[in-house]
Amino acid sequence: MEANLTDKNLKYYSFRGFSLYVLKKFRQVASGILIGVKRELTADFRIIKEMGVDGDKSEVVHLDVWKCGVHFKILAIYSPPGNDPDFSYVNHSKHSMFIGDFNAHSPVWGYSDTNKAGRRVQDFLSSSNFELIFNKRDPHTYLHYNGRSTTPDLLMVTADLHSFTKRSIMKDPGSGHRQVLAEIMIPKAEQRPFTPSKTSWNFKKANWPLYTRLVEQELTQDKLDFALNPSKIYNTIKDILISCAKKSIPRGRQKKYRSFWTDELTSLKDRRDRLRRKAELTSRPSDVQAWRKQSAYFRKKLTESKRSSYNDFISNINYQSDSKKVFKFVGNLMNDPVAPPKQSFMVDDKKLSSDSSVASAFVQYFCGAGCKGNYAKVHSSRVKQETARHELHVDPNSDPIFDAPITKDELIYAIRSLPRGVAGSWEEWWTYDGISGPDFWGLLNPEWSFCTKGRRQSPIDLDPAVLLYDPHLKSIHVDKFRVSGTIMNTGHSIIFKSDPELDPETVVNITEGPLSYRYRFEEIHLHYGRTDDKGSEHTLAGASFPAELQIFGYNSDLYNNISEALAVRRSEGVVGIAILLQMGDLSNAELRILTSQLHKIVYRGQEAHLQHLSVRDLLPDTRFFMTYEGSLTMPGCHETVTWIVMNRPIYITKQQLYILRKLMQGAENSPKAPLGNNFRPPLPLNQRVVRTNIDFRRTEGSKCPTMHHNMHYKARKWTRYP
C-alpha cells in the first residue's frame, strides 16, 4: 500500500487495460495507495481519509465495483506503525472487503504481542459483520532486516463473502513486502461442471534435434507390423511420436513474451528466489542482506535490459512504414492504447444522441407508466394529424403512433399542456444532472424560462482578466447577532433557514459593499461535490473548489419577504454572498455548528434545529470581494440577485466532507443517489461587469482595468453663436 506516488509521476507507470487511481503520498514518509481497475468494469473511487488530517494517521480509500450484477465495496487501508486507527467510517453490511497494511499485532495472526492497532482490529471484528481470512500455513507477508517474518497485511470480508473468498500470498515480488491476493468466486445459479483444460506444448522451448533423433530411433520397420489393420498401424505411429515429443518438448502454459527478457535475467531471478527462501527458513540477518543485495542487483540488470531493448526499438523502427506499430507503442507508453470515446448523454446506461431519444427518455422518466395516456389527453399536433387522416378511434395502449419517437418540440407542448399534478411536482422533478438537470430546467417549465433565456444567469467563472477595480466599493457589513433556525435536507441541497419565532427580536442585516439598501438574512445554502476536485458553483479562472456556501438575504426596505423580492425583475431584490470552501485541517467554527446536525438529516425531508449561529463569523477574514448582477442558481433562476463573492475561502475538513457525501437525495424508503454534485455549471457573462475592491495596480505588470483615477471628466463649455 505504500505506493509513494503523486499525480505527476503516476503517468510513468503503465498497466495496460487498467484505470489507475492514486491517493498521493504524504510529505516524504512512506505512504500512498495505488488502485487499478480493469477498464471493462464499472467502478467508482473516492478517498475516505488521508494521512495528516487528524490524530489517526491511516490512509483509506473506498472503491465501488460492479461485477456480474453484484455491487462490491472494497476498502483499502495503510496504517503506519505505532498508529491507533479508528474504524468508525466502516459501516458496510454485505458484499464488502477490507484489505491493507494494518501494522496490527495480535497472536490471532501470528504475532507474539498485541499493540493498539491489533486491539482495534480485534474489537472491530467482534462488533461488526466482518470476518478475518487467515491461514497459519500461509507464508508471512513481511521479511524484516533482522530476519524476523511477520504478517502486517490483513484481509477481512463480510460474512456473506467468507465462504467464497480465497486468500493467497504473492511469491517474491523483489521487496521485503509480499502482496496479499484476494479472490472472490461469485456463485452462479447454474454452474458448468469443471473440465480441466489440456496442457499445451511449449514449442518455443522444444529440443528439436533431440526430437528428430528419437523419432529416427523409434520409428523403424522393426517396431511396425504392416500386416496389421491400418488403424492399428496409425495408433502405433501416433504413440511413438507422442512419446518422443514428451521427452523433447516441454509442456505447460507459455509465459507472456517479453522482448527485454534474457537468460541472464532468468538465472538472476532464480538466484534471488532461492536466497529469499533461505532467508525465510534461517531468519539470519546475513541471509536477509544477501537476498536484498541480489534483489537490488536483479532490478538493476532488469532496468538495463529494458532500456537497451527500448533503445534498439527506437533506433530500428521506420516511422513511415510502421505507423501502426508506432501508434501502439506510444499508446503503451502513455498507458492509453485506445483514445477514449467522447462522452454522450447517458440515461439508464443507454447512449442518447438525438432529440427524439432524449425526449422519449424524459417522458418515461417524468410521467411513469401513464405516459401514453397523458400524451393522448393533450392532443399534440402530431397525434391530431394522424387521427384525422385515419379517421379512427385512438387507443393509446395499442395504436403504433404512441410507440413512435417524439420530437423535443412535441415533448415541450405535451408537458406544458398537462394540468398541474398530473405528472408530479416540478419541485420533486428537478435535479442537477441527467434529463432533469440544468439544461432542461427552463426548457419544459414556462415558469422557469429564465433558466434558458436569461442573459444575467449565475453562477459564472470569475476571470481575473475581466475584473474592474472600483475604489468606491466599501467593505460588507453583517450584524453580529446569532440566529437560530432549522437545517434541512431538501433533496437538492442543505439549507439553513432562520426562524423569527425563536428569536423575534434578533434580525441580521447585510449592508454596505455594493448594496444601496438594507438586506435581511434569510437562509444559507450548501453546495458540494462527491469528489474533491469539484463542488463549488462559482469558479475562479476555471478552477473549482470542493464546496461553496451561499448566504441569502432579501431587500427589507422595499419588500416584506423573500418571495416578493424574487418576484421583481430588478437586481436589488436579493443579495447572495458566495463563500468558497477549501480543504484544511481545521474547519471554520461556525461551519462546524452547521455540520454538527448532518447525521439527523441524511434523507430528503428530514430537518433539525440549530441554535446560536453567527452569520458574520462564517465570512472569511477579508474585506475584499467581487460583485456582479446575476440570478438564483436553482429553478426558476430569477435575475434579482446581487452576488458578492468573497476573495478568500474558509476551510472544511475531510471528515465534514465525508459526512456530507453520506447524505441522500431521496426519502428514507427510497434514498436514490447521494446528494453531492449539487451545483449548476458556470454560465456566460454576457457583457456584464464584474467589479472588485481589490486594487490590482499594486501588482506590477497587471493588465486588469481600473477605475482608480486613470480617467478624468469635466463638463464641456458651451458657446452660443449668433
Side-chain angles (χ1 to χ4, degrees), residues 293-335:
K293 288 180 180 179
Q294 179 64 23
S295 298
Y297 183 68
F298 170 70
R299 288 195 299 269
K300 176 185 176 183
K301 300 300 291 185
L302 181 64
T303 303
E304 291 177 353
S305 180
K306 287 183 177 180
R307 186 177 291 114
S308 176
S309 176
Y310 173 80
N311 292 334
D312 291 342
F313 177 84
I314 293 296
S315 59
N316 296 326
I317 195 170
N318 188 326
Y319 288 89
Q320 294 181 347
S321 60
D322 298 334
S323 57
K324 289 185 178 180
K325 186 185 295 185
V326 173
F327 178 80
K328 183 178 180 181
F329 174 70
V330 174
N332 291 336
L333 288 180
M334 301 300 294
N335 195 26

Side-chain angles (χ1 to χ4, degrees), residues 384-395:
K384 284 183 178 180
Q385 294 173 2
E386 291 293 327
T387 54
R389 184 163 61 88
H390 292 291
E391 296 182 354
L392 48 82
H393 174 69
V394 177
D395 182 5

Side-chain angles (χ1 to χ4, degrees), residues 152-335:
D153 306 277
L154 302 178
L155 169 63
M156 295 176 280
V157 297
T158 48
D160 59 321
L161 296 181
H162 185 268
S163 57
F164 304 107
T165 304
K166 177 184 176 182
R167 174 182 179 268
S168 57
I169 307 300
M170 188 176 179
K171 293 183 179 180
D172 191 351
S175 68
H177 217 141
R178 288 182 172 181
Q179 285 80 19
V180 176
L181 303 180
E183 182 180 2
I184 300 176
M185 284 73 71
I186 303 175
K188 297 181 180 179
E190 297 181 1
Q191 289 188 341
R192 297 180 180 178
F194 174 73
T195 303
S197 58
K198 295 182 179 180
T199 305
S200 59
W201 299 88
N202 193 344
F203 294 110
K204 287 187 176 181
K205 294 187 176 182
N207 189 343
W208 293 113
L210 176 61
Y211 175 78
T212 304
R213 187 168 60 253
L214 291 174
V215 170
E216 291 176 351
Q217 293 175 0
E218 299 293 333
L219 200 60
T220 60
Q221 291 185 357
D222 298 339
K223 297 185 178 182
L224 296 176
D225 187 359
F226 291 98
L228 297 175
N229 186 286
S231 297
K232 293 184 177 181
I233 299 175
Y234 164 77
N235 290 332
T236 303
I237 296 175
K238 181 188 68 174
D239 293 339
I240 292 175
L241 294 177
I242 292 177
S243 175
C244 296
K246 288 182 178 180
K247 296 177 182 178
S248 58
I249 304 175
R251 291 182 297 170
R253 182 177 297 177
Q254 297 182 18
K255 292 185 178 180
K256 187 176 180 180
Y257 174 71
R258 297 173 180 174
S259 58
F260 59 84
W261 197 262
T262 61
D263 293 338
E264 181 186 8
L265 292 178
T266 301
S267 62
L268 291 175
K269 181 179 180 298
D270 292 341
R271 175 172 171 77
R272 183 201 67 179
D273 295 341
R274 289 195 301 270
L275 291 175
R276 170 79 183 233
R277 289 192 293 269
K278 181 179 179 181
E280 290 179 337
L281 289 174
T282 62
S283 299
R284 289 197 297 262
S286 58
D287 292 336
V288 175
Q289 292 177 6
W291 162 71
R292 289 187 177 274
K293 288 180 180 179
Q294 179 64 23
S295 298
Y297 183 68
F298 170 70
R299 288 195 299 269
K300 176 185 176 183
K301 300 300 291 185
L302 181 64
T303 303
E304 291 177 353
S305 180
K306 287 183 177 180
R307 186 177 291 114
S308 176
S309 176
Y310 173 80
N311 292 334
D312 291 342
F313 177 84
I314 293 296
S315 59
N316 296 326
I317 195 170
N318 188 326
Y319 288 89
Q320 294 181 347
S321 60
D322 298 334
S323 57
K324 289 185 178 180
K325 186 185 295 185
V326 173
F327 178 80
K328 183 178 180 181
F329 174 70
V330 174
N332 291 336
L333 288 180
M334 301 300 294
N335 195 26

Side-chain angles (χ1 to χ4, degrees), residues 40 44 79 99 103 105 131 140 185 254 331 346 360 390 414 435 438 466 504-505 525 550 615 637 710:
E40 60 265 23
D44 179 51
S79 178
I99 188 171
N103 278 302
H105 297 193
E131 298 183 14
H140 294 288
M185 284 73 71
Q254 297 182 18
M346 300 292 294
S360 299
H390 292 291
I435 56 177
V466 300
E505 298 181 358
H525 293 206
Q550 296 174 353
V615 179
C637 308
N710 284 356

Side-chain angles (χ1 to χ4, degrees), residues 142 144 212:
Y142 188 70
H144 297 261
T212 304

